[in-house]
Amino acid sequence: MLDHRQTEAEPPQGAPAAALALPRDGAPATAATEHRLAQLGEAGLLLLELQATGPLPRDGTTTLVVGGAPLAPPTASLTLGPADAPRLVFAARSRAGALAPGTPCEVRKGGETIAAFRLDLPIPAEALLLAGRAPAERYTLLRFLVGTCAPALRATTDPGLAAVCHALARAAVARGAEAGAARALSRPDAAFSAWAVPHAPDGAWYLLTRGSVRRIEAPVAGILLLDGAPPPGALLLPPAPARPLPFAPQTSGGGTTSRLPTVATLLRTGISGTSAAGRRVLTAFTARAARDPRCAALLREAQLLAPARPQRLDDPTHPLGGALELALSDREGGVFLCGWVRDPLGLLAGLELRGPLGAIPLPPDALHRVPRPDLEERFARAAFGRAGPTPGFVAHLPDADRSGVAQWRLGLRLRSGEAIELAAAPALLPPVQARDLVLRSVHPKAVTPALLDNCLGPAAARLHRAALRAIAGTPEVVAIGRRSPSSTRHSPRASLIVPLYRNMRFLRFQVCAFGRDSQTRGADLVFVLDSPEQRSDVEHLLRGLSAMLDLPMTLVVMPANGGYAAACNAGAAAAHPAAATLVFLNSDVLPAAPGWLGRLLGRLARDRRLAAVGPKLLFDDGSVQHAGLFFRRAGDGEWFNDHYAKGFPRTHPAAARARRVPGVTGAALCVRRSAFEAAGGFCTDYIVGDFEDSDLCLRLRALGHEIAYEPSAELFHFERQSIATHEGHARTLAGAYNRRLHHLRWGEAIAALMTRFPAA
Amino acid sequence: MSRARSPAMRILFLAHNHPHLQPGGTETFAHGLFRALRDRHGAEGLFLAAVTDLLRERKPGTLLQAVGDAPDEMLVSLGTFDRFFLAQGDVYGLAEIAPLVARLRPDIVHLHHPLLFGLEGIDVVRRAVPRGTAMIATLHDYFALCAREGQLLTADGRLCHGPSPDACRRNCFPDRPAIDLTLRNLAIRDAFRAFDRLIAPSRFLRDRFVAAGWEAERITVLPNAVAAAEPAPHREAGPEGRRDCFAVFGNVNRFKGTLVALAASARLSREGVAHRLAVHGGTAYQSEEFMREFAAALAAAPDALHRGPYAAAELSARMRGADWVVVPSIWWENAPLVVLEAFRHRRPVICGDVGGMAELVRDGVDGLHAPVGDPASLAATMRRAAEEPGLWDRLVANIRPPPDHDDAARQHLALYQEVCAQRRRPRGRTVTSTPLREAAIRSPGHVLRARADAARV
């Protein structure tokens, strides 16, 4: 009967009444317990085996008292042999110097003293454990040492214990017909090695090396994953009653380790389905990836490097069609899906989303169905039927992706029980690209507020946040030109901030115009480049113009495209500290004549309640483009921005009156710096650019300020030249998204505001 | 910053070409004026002409080079010029000439054409010269208004009265976005604000600019001039004093109307009117299509002859064979030098009845007008010129000698002095009549009320 027990801390029992005469002066004890003692290594582990003369008490902890003092826990004990004459194996940590031969000892259990003796000289551990024992008992001792002593006595790295365990294990390895081994599947890498192991019952696995006894993760699907290669001579100890296993470096075919694939290669073959062993290794990695970031990283890398070819089922002659066109990580634990399914004969029982960790069902209410006009033509004359009115689907599963899946698959489960699997394109794209794909996934005509609020919006918002986070680094501030020494105490009243994106068509006209107007010459000029790939051309041009006009300016280079708000905020941050007013100008705005800046600043100066003013803006032919910004309801009840007098003649009275207005356009926005900063600058939640100006105006109003229109300042605005070239806006729902966000945020405030201002 | 006031006026002339390289009217006049000012009117300064790689190779390490032996005439190589926007893209190159210009410390910078220097050139020079330097530009054509080579002539050869966004796009620039025309207009007006005064060689030109919205007070009319010369002797008259030798001078191209004159001559030949028409001038840079038309027109006009190009020194000799000078231009013209040359050599002029031509030539006084661009009417006028007895002599007697370069120099100097003085007056008020001033003059006691009224305006 095997009996492992660990003793807990316990006060010593009273001395039993046992007729034991303690020997004196080193003379061997008469009637002393037969015992053997071994010491393991330098750390003071001791093993004691003693022969009991009668049955041992069933209950109670076992305590060894050495020289009158019991050894402190933790300790461990094992009972071997027949019940009427059992042997007790006892393990403990001893005090230094306590094991001098001749020291009187007692063993107590359950209140009884079951043994008393004077210590003999210790014998080698291997002699104690191995010599003269039946293999079964040796195996039992091995289990005791590895499973109980090592962890209990915190001796897993004790070389003495390790050595003796290793020796026991070596002795217990099966040979001949029953021989088993862990067979290498991979070339031992720095990070991982994969081994095929025979089946074993559930339980703890151990790795026994000459220096340590370590518990390791159990294998999955018969594959054992080890950190790196096992040290030479290491042995595996599967759960009882399996025997220890050696590591067999050769393949089953007898090849050498250098011909084996690496773990990464195995994973890729597993993913692409070209190797059974690879599939098993993949399963093992997947199971471990949830807990081990290194596994997860290796897994993701393998997926990225060996993506399965995307598959579509779009042959019109088939009765079933489908594709998972997008399965994008939203960078915050969710996944966005876009695809289509054509099932004219009703063959599908359901859809599911398949990833490495399993399948996620996609019931009908999880999917938003949308029309797909691009499929109409393809399936117009399909034998089994057309694609239907809403073959497309989009979905956002906010929590489906905890581990950063690199590639998802769509499972089409048929009523017959079979399933077809279609792979999607890789899930991990740069967040800006992914965001734009989300916003391009549905035709603008098919977008409903519900779709925006519940599906496209949350996914786009998460990716937009990721995109903003991805603008790693701070903008670079480049000083261009120098002020002449006579103007060292240059204290500009205003800072002109111009965000630039891609279209530099008007830049030289703008700079030359600023250079010829004494008022703008005295201002602080800041250009913000939001398309940093053009940096060298733009810097070259600005340096030339600056020298030609003797006009210093600042160029701020964004680390990556961040959109209007981020660029303007960066410009504001780089503005001259003395500038009390910020003037934001689009790159396609050009003064109609000098003196406009003074008129805007003058208006602000005359009315303390104003936080912002805006000028009259003209189309290229002189008709009015902006005479103040107001809000209008669209057909669906949402608010959108409009300008007073848009399209009216330049001198029409409607555009001639300086007055308070709900807001002014960001194309030419003159704002007190203190108010701008108190409002937090431009809001970066909008995608690409749109509504940031009205959002700021509404925030300024919420802080109690007023906003005015100043028609004596006139500039041309060659409208929409810059936003039309931004791919993230021109063909996508970014505008709809921004409008919805703006409406949800400000709808009530706007309704109240528009009761005080005319509607047109 | 004070400096010793030297009595000589320091002038910097900027031209888009030098007559030694390629003689055109603008640069010929500008150069003649400069030399007169320098050599005979005590001015100091520099004549700086822009040049492209087409006409002169650049010297290594510098954009500058001499032209001929004159110490006060130089060329600057500038490329990358956009004729539509009058934009000089080589801002680094322009910045290089700034030190040269700055060292000169001119009292006057006189720009004779915005081509090649461009609007950026104007900006560079304005920045480089002292604040007290006045800048003047002569509008030798309508380039600042019209992107079609400054001619105010539509693509299909019709006269244009002035720029308008719709008409410009429809008639001449259907492929240009409307924004480009606005940009061009804005940029030119903005850049030209650097000039204290603009000179128009004709009232007609000034009127076109004023009609387009340029301020009339900024434009002064000063006539063009041609070099003084001994008039070429008249030829012997034909029987009964018949004067039937006609000549056209100038580059042969469509807008100078050479084809119109040849068609008129062809018509006269068909009608049996004896005459001769000599076409003096080269055909450089003309298209193959035009050359075919020119050849055909010559072939159809048996009494016409193409005498080929001529150098300035040969003009007198070429004039000898002509009784009349025909200016058949189909565009407005401004103050065509060919008319002044004709008057210098005492030849009456037959020209179109519009624009700068009609201003210089008084119909029935020192020349004859014919409806512009109309070969039949021109033929009729030429017939009258050949056949009406005594007409030629009367017209010749009324010819007034045109200004020469010294006349022009005197007039320009006076203008320079006026403009310089104006510029150095304390900034702010030019003297104009206001209600306030008038009130003060009338009655001091009413000044206070007038001032209050003015404040409310």
Side-chain angles (χ1 to χ4, degrees):
Chain A
M1 179 174 140
L2 306 179
D3 184 5
H4 305 188
R5 246 185 270 196
Q6 303 175 18
T7 59
E8 300 299 311
E10 221 183 303
Q13 309 282 326
L20 284 176
L22 297 178
R24 297 194 190 282
D25 305 328
T30 51
T33 315
E34 183 187 322
H35 74 283
R36 293 190 295 167
L37 172 72
Q39 210 170 343
L40 302 178
E42 309 300 325
L45 280 177
L46 69 88
L47 281 175
L48 178 69
E49 186 182 23
L50 51 90
Q51 179 71 58
T53 48
L56 293 172
R58 291 190 67 79
D59 303 315
T61 53
T62 311
T63 319
L64 174 65
V65 181
V66 173
L71 287 183
T75 62
S77 64
L78 171 70
T79 312
L80 296 171
D84 55 342
R87 281 170 290 120
L88 185 72
V89 177
F90 185 82
R93 285 189 175 275
S94 71
R95 296 185 296 273
L99 298 184
T103 312
C105 297
E106 282 179 13
V107 178
R108 302 192 187 136
K109 183 174 165 69
E112 288 180 35
T113 299
I114 55 173
F117 49 88
R118 284 189 184 273
L119 284 178
D120 276 342
L121 283 169
I123 61 173
E126 295 201 8
L128 180 95
L129 293 169
L130 284 157
R133 293 192 192 269
E137 206 172 82
R138 280 208 294 265
Y139 183 77
T140 308
L141 280 168
L142 174 64
R143 288 277 166 205
F144 171 62
L145 288 175
V146 169
T148 307
C149 293
L153 303 180
R154 294 187 282 276
T156 56
T157 51
D158 183 291
L161 178 64
V164 79
C165 290
H166 195 263
L168 277 172
R170 238 188 359 257
V173 167
R175 311 210 186 271
E178 293 174 6
R183 299 207 181 278
L185 291 177
S186 76
R187 192 158 65 224
D189 262 335
F192 289 104
S193 56
W195 304 84
V197 295
H199 180 72
D202 289 340
W205 287 69
Y206 296 92
L207 183 69
L208 307 180
T209 70
R210 288 182 221 265
S212 66
V213 172
R214 254 196 311 126
R215 178 138 181 217
I216 57 176
E217 291 227 11
V220 171
I223 304 291
L224 181 76
L225 295 177
L226 288 182
D227 291 333
L235 292 168
L236 266 180
L237 186 62
R243 289 178 167 278
L245 300 169
F247 287 94
Q250 289 88 3
T251 62
S252 47
T256 58
T257 49
S258 60
R259 311 270 285 315
L260 290 172
T262 60
V263 161
T265 311
L266 271 177
L267 283 175
R268 290 205 286 277
T269 57
I271 288 167
S272 59
T274 54
S275 150
R279 251 209 297 279
R280 288 162 60 204
V281 171
L282 175 64
T283 311
F285 257 83
T286 306
R288 195 150 147 172
R291 293 183 304 282
D292 183 342
R294 284 179 316 151
C295 269
L298 203 66
L299 192 60
R300 190 158 46 242
E301 199 180 278
Q303 285 178 312
L304 284 171
L305 291 174
R309 277 191 341 259
Q311 295 168 40
R312 308 164 63 85
L313 203 60
D314 62 357
D315 186 340
T317 63
H318 279 199
L320 192 59
L324 182 58
E325 290 153 329
L326 292 177
L328 296 170
S329 161
D330 68 8
R331 301 303 185 119
E332 290 182 18
V335 63
F336 174 81
L337 305 176
C338 169
W340 58 273
V341 167
R342 175 180 150 260
D343 183 25
L345 299 181
L347 300 174
L348 279 183
L351 298 175
E352 60 190 20
L353 183 67
R354 295 181 174 183
L357 298 179
I360 302 167
L362 296 173
D365 60 359
L367 303 174
H368 297 260
R369 302 305 294 246
V370 292
R372 286 292 298 261
D374 57 313
L375 298 174
E376 278 287 318
E377 207 195 303
R378 187 171 177 80
F379 295 110
R381 276 191 282 280
F384 291 101
R386 308 165 71 120
T390 55
F393 63 83
V394 286
H396 180 233
L397 309 175
D399 300 306
D401 183 18
R402 289 273 153 228
S403 63
V405 173
Q407 187 166 33
W408 297 89
R409 304 177 303 283
L410 181 68
L412 301 164
R413 282 187 300 102
L414 307 180
R415 293 195 195 283
S416 63
E418 294 218 13
I420 301 172
E421 193 174 272
L422 306 172
L428 294 173
L429 293 180
V432 172
Q433 245 172 290
R435 177 197 73 191
D436 293 345
L437 283 175
V438 168
L439 290 173
R440 233 196 286 247
S441 59
V442 178
H443 195 279
K445 287 204 201 101
V447 169
T448 62
L451 188 58
L452 263 184
D453 290 346
N454 301 327
C455 179
L456 300 176
R462 286 185 174 189
L463 286 167
H464 183 59
R465 280 197 290 273
L468 289 174
R469 282 196 300 274
I471 308 175
T474 46
E476 187 187 341
V477 179
V478 182
I480 294 183
R482 260 175 317 123
R483 294 224 167 248
S484 62
S486 62
S487 54
T488 40
R489 280 181 298 123
H490 175 62
S491 203
R493 283 204 292 155
S495 190
L496 303 194
I497 299 168
V498 181
L500 303 171
Y501 178 76
R502 292 262 189 101
N503 184 0
M504 302 301 155
R505 184 177 177 197
F506 307 99
L507 183 55
R508 21 175 345 127
F509 291 96
Q510 230 184 20
V511 178
C512 285
F514 293 159
R516 295 182 196 124
D517 180 345
S518 60
Q519 289 176 348
T520 49
R521 285 189 75 84
D524 171 45
L525 291 181
V526 180
F527 291 93
V528 185
L529 184 60
D530 203 20
S531 46
E533 65 274 12
Q534 295 174 290
R535 184 250 176 82
S536 57
D537 287 342
V538 170
E539 188 178 343
H540 180 83
L541 175 64
L542 288 181
R543 285 197 186 278
L545 290 169
S546 171
M548 181 182 89
L549 296 164
D550 187 23
L551 184 67
M553 59 191 76
T554 306
L555 173 65
V556 177
V557 184
M558 298 293 285
N561 173 239
Y564 174 84
C568 285
N569 290 342
H576 195 287
T581 311
L582 304 176
V583 182
F584 295 98
L585 287 175
N586 273 17
S587 62
D588 52 2
V589 166
L590 217 60
W596 60 276
L597 180 60
R599 291 186 205 111
L600 284 179
L601 296 177
R603 183 69 198 282
L604 261 191
R606 285 196 295 274
D607 187 347
R608 306 286 342 151
R609 291 221 50 199
L610 294 177
V613 295
K616 181 192 291 183
L617 293 179
L618 305 169
F619 287 115
D620 63 277
D621 67 342
S623 37
V624 175
Q625 193 261 340
H626 166 270
L629 182 149
F630 69 101
F631 303 97
R632 221 194 252 284
R633 274 200 202 269
D636 56 9
E638 282 187 6
W639 291 103
F640 66 98
N641 298 354
D642 199 353
H643 298 163
Y644 289 113
K646 203 172 206 184
F648 282 29
R650 184 174 185 162
T651 48
H652 193 282
R657 232 173 23 97
R659 65 195 193 284
R660 302 258 173 101
V661 283
V664 290
T665 177
L669 194 154
C670 175
V671 60
R672 290 191 209 280
R673 191 177 197 158
S674 51
F676 177 80
E677 287 169 356
F682 285 104
C683 173
T684 52
D685 293 343
Y686 298 93
I687 294 182
V688 177
D690 232 345
F691 295 99
E692 290 95 339
D693 47 7
S694 57
D695 186 286
L696 175 68
C697 288
L698 289 162
R699 230 164 327 119
L700 290 171
R701 284 192 163 279
L703 290 173
H705 301 295
E706 285 288 343
I707 298 174
Y709 165 64
E710 182 46 60
S712 68
E714 287 185 339
L715 300 97
F716 284 88
H717 180 196
F718 304 118
E719 187 183 18
R720 285 289 186 213
Q721 285 283 337
S722 38
I723 214 166
T725 61
H726 195 297
E727 285 123 21
H729 199 281
R731 291 193 301 276
T732 76
L733 299 169
Y737 172 92
N738 291 332
R739 180 148 76 90
R740 184 93 185 129
L741 175 63
H742 187 262
H743 174 78
L744 289 173
R745 198 175 276 180
W746 293 110
E748 278 184 33
I750 294 172
L753 185 61
M754 287 311 295
T755 60
R756 294 167 38 205
F757 286 99
Chain B
M1 187 182 296
S2 67
R3 61 175 181 81
R5 283 294 305 268
S6 130
M9 183 144 295
R10 302 174 62 77
I11 56 177
L12 170 64
F13 266 36
L14 299 174
H16 72 298
N17 196 0
H18 194 285
H20 290 182
L21 301 176
Q22 196 167 15
T26 301
E27 49 272 31
T28 302
F29 170 75
H31 183 254
L33 173 62
F34 177 79
R35 285 263 60 97
L37 285 165
R38 279 283 293 131
D39 301 337
R40 297 185 291 283
H41 295 266
E44 291 175 16
L46 178 71
F47 186 91
L48 184 62
V51 71
T52 61
D53 293 342
L54 204 63
L55 292 174
R56 274 287 182 103
E57 270 180 34
R58 296 179 186 217
K59 302 287 176 284
T62 176
L63 292 177
L64 302 169
Q65 55 185 293
V67 51
D69 297 326
D72 52 3
E73 297 177 20
M74 292 175 73
L75 300 175
V76 56
S77 288
L78 294 171
T80 72
F81 185 70
D82 180 329
R83 282 176 94 89
F84 181 86
F85 286 109
L86 296 180
Q88 176 50 262
D90 186 7
V91 293
Y92 287 93
L94 285 177
E96 251 185 74
I97 68 170
L100 168 71
V101 163
R103 268 198 305 277
L104 218 49
R105 305 191 63 77
D107 299 304
I108 290 282
V109 174
H110 191 159
L111 176 81
H112 281 274
H113 208 287
L115 283 179
L116 283 190
F117 280 105
L119 306 181
E120 288 81 356
I122 297 171
D123 289 328
V124 166
V125 171
R126 177 70 268 177
R127 292 267 82 71
V129 296
R131 294 202 55 136
T133 302
M135 286 185 63
I136 292 180
T138 297
L139 305 165
H140 283 283
D141 49 38
Y142 311 97
F143 244 106
L145 299 180
C146 169
R148 276 209 89 235
E149 292 305 302
Q151 287 170 358
L152 287 179
L153 192 71
T154 66
D156 50 359
R158 286 175 293 118
L159 292 168
C160 173
H161 289 262
S164 93
D166 297 312
C168 289
R169 277 202 74 213
R170 187 178 61 241
N171 294 328
C172 298
F173 300 102
D175 298 330
R176 281 269 180 189
I179 284 172
D180 282 4
L181 293 160
T182 306
L183 280 175
R184 178 183 198 271
N185 189 32
L186 273 182
I188 290 175
R189 294 205 193 209
D190 208 18
F192 269 66
R193 252 185 279 273
F195 295 109
D196 300 278
R197 196 67 70 86
L198 300 169
I199 296 175
S202 69
R203 285 190 306 279
F204 178 78
L205 185 138
R206 187 187 68 176
D207 292 344
R208 296 276 63 72
F209 274 79
V210 170
W214 293 60
E215 293 156 340
E217 314 84 74
R218 284 182 71 215
I219 307 178
T220 298
V221 179
L222 289 184
N224 273 346
V226 287
E230 198 52 46
H234 288 137
R235 51 181 291 279
E236 290 286 327
E240 289 146 29
R242 188 183 173 87
R243 294 285 183 182
D244 56 11
C245 287
F246 302 90
V248 175
F249 290 91
N251 290 329
V252 174
N253 59 44
R254 194 175 302 280
F255 61 90
K256 287 255 188 271
T258 324
L259 297 179
V260 173
L262 285 172
S265 171
R267 186 178 274 265
L268 288 177
S269 300
R270 278 200 302 279
E271 290 170 4
V273 177
H275 72 287
R276 279 213 304 277
L277 175 66
V279 176
H280 301 278
T283 55
Y285 306 130
Q286 295 310 301
S287 67
E288 279 190 25
E289 185 199 334
F290 179 81
M291 292 306 293
R292 277 196 294 274
E293 282 183 61
F294 181 56
L298 274 174
D303 296 311
L305 200 62
H306 180 210
R307 298 288 305 281
Y310 56 96
E314 300 168 56
L315 178 63
S316 182
R318 300 286 187 108
M319 276 285 179
R320 281 169 162 256
D323 299 316
W324 304 85
V325 169
V326 179
V327 181
S329 299
I330 61 173
W331 70 297
W332 301 109
E333 287 284 356
N334 170 22
L337 293 190
V338 65
V339 170
L340 303 181
E341 297 283 6
F343 286 164
R344 172 72 73 221
H345 293 281
R346 300 180 54 72
R347 265 70 175 167
V349 173
I350 299 175
C351 67
D353 59 348
V354 296
M357 304 182 273
E359 184 175 317
L360 270 184
V361 177
R362 296 167 293 168
D363 188 22
V365 177
D366 49 18
L368 299 172
H369 290 175
V372 64
D374 180 3
S377 308
L378 178 59
T381 309
M382 287 166 74
R383 181 172 189 162
R384 178 184 167 214
E387 294 179 346
E388 186 173 310
L391 175 61
W392 186 87
D393 301 275
R394 272 203 316 282
L395 300 176
V396 168
N398 288 328
I399 292 175
R400 299 178 298 203
D404 61 18
H405 290 129
D406 287 305
D407 298 319
R410 277 187 287 274
Q411 285 188 311
H412 279 78
L413 266 179
L415 181 66
Y416 294 162
Q417 273 147 9
E418 180 194 323
V419 173
C420 278
Q422 200 171 47
R423 189 173 174 86
R424 284 166 194 158
R425 207 169 294 149
R427 285 182 69 79
R429 304 284 158 259
T430 51
V431 181
T432 51
S433 189
T434 63
L436 181 56
R437 276 192 68 77
E438 270 159 18
I441 290 166
R442 270 203 308 278
S443 156
H446 290 155
V447 167
L448 278 173
R449 191 174 64 228
R451 195 174 285 145
D453 287 342
R456 255 205 301 282
V457 163

